[in-house]
Amino acid sequence: MEEVERVKAEAVQIMGVFQVLPRLVVFDLDYTLWPFYCECRSKRDTPSLYPHAKGILCALKREGVDVAIASKSPTPDIATTFLHKLSISSMFVAQEIFYSWTHKTDHFQRIHSRTGVPFNSMLFFDDDNNNIQGVSKMGVTSILVRNGVNLGAFREGLAKFSQNWNASMNNKQKCLA
């Protein structure tokens, strides 16, 4: 638990650097929050998160930023069981866990419908570049993670979100001028 608190404190510090934060941060599950594919596991297994994942989730909650899940898992029952076993299920305002042929665009449409958060106010982390590209086209700031979500990817995501947000605000001002 000590490590979770350390990561949480560092993540809160990182968030404090940015003037604008996303309203919603969306995470993939497999190889993003945890280091395995659900379909290769059993409900009886004991899951684990990547080392920084829980601290980052706790920091987002502390700072009032909502979190959601977008997962193309063919075994949503196992994924849901693992979220409960890890005691993080209640942290998410939306859990879109279902198999889809799209690059998670269906997941994001549902998340948007459920939360009302505009796509340009969302930040997304995933290990699959196809999903990153597809969701980015919707206007969501998207970050490719190589070894799960960690403080480095988190910092990168917030920086890219801030950059995208500022660019969109500048474009709005130009249109109004």
Side-chain angles (χ1 to χ4, degrees):
M1 204 55 162
E2 193 176 292
E3 177 69 1
V4 170
E5 288 302 316
R6 185 192 67 75
V7 171
K8 176 182 168 186
E10 192 169 337
V12 166
Q13 189 174 22
I14 290 168
M15 292 168 75
V17 171
F18 298 95
Q19 291 184 322
V20 64
L21 293 173
R23 285 181 45 200
L24 180 68
V25 179
V26 183
F27 296 93
D28 171 47
L29 291 175
D30 298 344
Y31 288 98
T32 301
L33 281 184
W34 52 50
F36 53 82
Y37 288 115
C38 283
E39 62 264 31
C40 299
R41 306 289 293 268
S42 153
K43 284 184 182 182
R44 293 181 305 278
D45 291 341
T46 302
S48 62
L49 295 168
Y50 278 109
H52 293 174
K54 191 161 189 175
I56 289 168
L57 291 170
C58 291
L60 288 164
K61 280 309 218 185
R62 178 177 179 257
E63 296 301 303
V65 177
D66 286 334
V67 292
I69 294 169
S71 175
K72 291 196 318 184
S73 176
T75 54
D77 54 328
I78 294 174
T80 302
T81 298
F82 285 178
L83 291 169
H84 287 289
K85 282 185 172 190
L86 291 162
S87 301
I88 60 172
S89 186
S90 63
M91 296 178 112
F92 302 98
V93 297
Q95 294 182 27
E96 294 300 331
I97 307 170
F98 60 90
Y99 193 75
S100 168
W101 291 103
T102 69
H103 299 306
K104 297 213 176 158
T105 52
D106 291 348
H107 295 77
F108 275 82
Q109 292 291 353
R110 288 184 183 196
I111 289 169
H112 170 68
S113 294
R114 180 168 294 179
T115 64
V117 175
F119 296 124
N120 70 343
S121 294
M122 296 181 190
L123 172 59
F124 175 50
F125 294 93
D126 198 318
D127 68 310
D128 183 332
N129 196 47
N130 291 324
N131 293 331
I132 294 296
Q133 290 178 7
V135 171
S136 291
K137 289 176 184 165
M138 300 174 83
V140 177
T141 298
S142 303
I143 299 298
L144 181 67
V145 297
R146 296 281 178 208
N147 296 305
V149 71
N150 58 44
L151 288 168
F154 186 61
R155 182 182 288 111
E156 177 190 348
L158 292 176
K160 187 174 176 187
F161 178 84
S162 182
Q163 183 180 20
N164 290 349
W165 183 263
N166 290 335
S168 70
M169 290 302 112
N170 288 341
N171 286 342
K172 267 188 191 169
Q173 288 173 349
K174 285 178 189 173
C175 291
L176 296 174

